[in-house]
Amino acid sequence: MEDFFETVAGHRGGYILRPDLLDLGVDDRQIRDAIRQKLIVRLRPGTYAPRGHRDLKPEDQHRLLAFAVQDKLPSGIVLSHQTAAVIHTGVSHGLDLGTVHVTRRGGMTARNEAKVVHHGGVLPDEDIVEVDGHLMVVPARAALETAAVAGTEAGLVQTSFVLRNGVSADELHERLGRMGRWPGATKVRLSVLWASPECESVGEARSLYMFRMGGLPVPRFQVEYFDADGCSLGRVDFAWEDYWHLGEFDGLSKYGRLNPYSGADLGQVVVDEKRREDGLRRLGLGMSRWVWADLHSPVATCRRIRAAMEQSRRLYGNVPRTVLV
């Protein structure tokens, strides 16, 4: 039976509609039984996905939900706001993945229904792009719409990622200038002004937001240091060179499922990181580290980093350094 649902879903790009099952002789009682047996997952009324849906990343689950929603709506409706942003960037910090956002071409009255938010407003043709057969707003507009609805931090993550993916800062600023009196325009403005394409992860983008809100100087990103023999001691996430201090956000990419040892030897990762940090300290540089949980306490974390920066400047202020971007 599991193979049957997978086959039916394959014809629609990963999801199943109730009429599909009824046409194939599966009645509502059998659909309820399949949900209870966890053979299928209910996405929204009358829309389901095979059990493998649970194994997808949250962003991929949202993508599937969005496509299923759009396919049941009238033509002329495009995916927008955080829904389009998640599809374009693959990241979803601060966003509600249980709700799909859409906009009708030519404008409409805003309204909500089950798991769908309909936005009004004019949507010109040049703001629309097709992805995997589905129409949605272009990455730059999606990022700005996200900031307007979800706030500056979530918007900063999205604007940083679209910049990293090739959208120009000029385009973001030009679009910002055209937003006029959009609701949430102040949040959008900050997300554009503070964004950086040098953020390589959500954690780094959130760290940048924390620095801005906490009054810390904006550091240089992704700076590589060398020893006296010209051998690389490694690249660091952040460098406050006026303070002789470095910063590292330690996330899953370093210690979790994406570590260079494929999860087989986390101890080796920790040992290598300790050696790298010791080498950098021998150059006369201090270092602060923080993890995801520290981003939830930004005031305390910034206070700790600030104190460490001041200490590094006192201890290492006259030590020469060799740096390569």
Side-chain angles (χ1 to χ4, degrees):
M1 196 65 174
E2 182 176 349
D3 291 341
F4 167 76
F5 290 122
E6 290 281 358
T7 300
V8 176
H11 290 294
R12 286 195 177 273
Y15 64 91
I16 305 165
L17 297 180
R18 176 175 174 271
D20 298 335
L21 297 177
L22 296 179
D23 287 345
L24 293 169
V26 180
D27 60 29
D28 286 331
R29 180 186 59 79
Q30 291 172 309
I31 292 174
R32 290 192 296 271
D33 288 343
I35 294 173
R36 189 163 47 249
Q37 296 168 23
K38 298 183 178 180
L39 295 175
I40 57 175
V41 178
R42 185 176 181 271
L43 300 181
R44 62 192 306 264
T47 306
Y48 315 94
R51 67 189 306 167
H53 179 266
R54 296 186 181 89
D55 299 326
L56 297 176
K57 294 191 304 181
E59 294 81 8
D60 291 334
Q61 292 181 6
H62 185 71
R63 179 190 184 101
L64 183 61
L65 174 63
F67 289 173
V69 166
Q70 188 180 35
D71 286 346
K72 292 182 70 175
L73 292 173
S75 62
I77 292 182
V78 305
L79 302 175
S80 63
H81 295 72
Q82 47 260 59
T83 291
V86 168
I87 294 172
H88 286 310
T89 66
V91 297
S92 61
H93 171 71
L95 307 182
D96 174 14
L97 296 183
T99 302
V100 173
H101 290 253
V102 300
T103 300
R104 183 187 296 276
R105 301 177 68 176
M108 64 176 290
T109 302
R111 64 185 178 86
N112 296 344
E113 60 177 289
K115 294 189 176 183
V116 184
V117 175
H118 294 258
H119 295 272
V122 177
L123 188 57
D125 290 343
E126 59 268 24
D127 279 6
I128 301 171
V129 66
E130 183 175 322
V131 176
D132 293 339
H134 291 263
L135 296 179
M136 61 194 69
V137 298
V138 296
R141 180 176 178 123
L144 300 189
E145 290 177 338
T146 297
V149 173
T152 301
E153 184 180 38
L156 174 61
V157 172
Q158 294 299 328
T159 52
S160 293
F161 269 76
V162 297
L163 287 173
R164 188 167 184 82
N165 292 341
V167 171
S168 70
D170 287 343
E171 180 181 354
L172 285 183
H173 283 276
E174 190 274 331
R175 287 182 175 278
L176 177 63
R178 285 195 274 127
M179 290 182 69
R181 297 184 179 276
W182 272 32
T186 299
K187 295 178 288 187
V188 180
R189 180 175 178 273
L190 290 178
S191 73
V192 172
L193 293 178
W194 292 353
S196 172
E198 295 180 288
C199 294
E200 294 183 341
S201 69
V202 173
E204 290 181 14
R206 291 193 64 200
S207 296
L208 176 57
Y209 175 78
M210 179 179 70
F211 303 153
R212 290 287 195 172
M213 294 298 291
L216 292 180
V218 177
R220 292 180 67 203
F221 294 79
Q222 320 306 340
V223 182
E224 189 169 4
Y225 288 84
F226 299 85
D227 63 18
D229 297 321
C231 296
S232 176
L233 293 170
R235 190 179 64 158
V236 296
D237 297 334
F238 309 104
W240 290 276
E241 294 177 323
D242 290 341
Y243 290 83
W244 284 261
H245 198 72
L246 311 176
E248 286 277 276
F249 171 75
D250 294 333
L252 284 175
S253 62
K254 194 170 294 176
Y255 296 110
R257 62 180 182 273
L258 302 180
N259 80 76
Y261 300 95
S262 301
D265 191 352
L266 292 179
Q268 185 62 50
V269 179
V270 175
V271 168
D272 288 351
E273 282 297 302
K274 183 62 168 62
R275 288 173 178 167
R276 183 172 73 106
E277 182 173 336
D278 288 345
L280 292 167
R281 289 187 182 280
R282 284 194 293 272
L283 289 181
L285 296 162
M287 179 177 285
S288 292
R289 292 182 178 275
W290 56 94
V291 296
W292 199 262
D294 295 319
L295 297 175
H296 298 304
S297 304
V299 174
T301 301
C302 283
R303 187 183 302 120
R304 171 169 62 85
I305 295 172
R306 168 71 76 176
M309 289 166 60
E310 297 291 352
Q311 181 181 55
S312 293
R313 184 158 61 176
R314 291 193 301 269
L315 292 174
Y316 309 122
N318 296 316
V319 178
R321 296 155 295 160
T322 302
V323 184
L324 177 67
V325 177

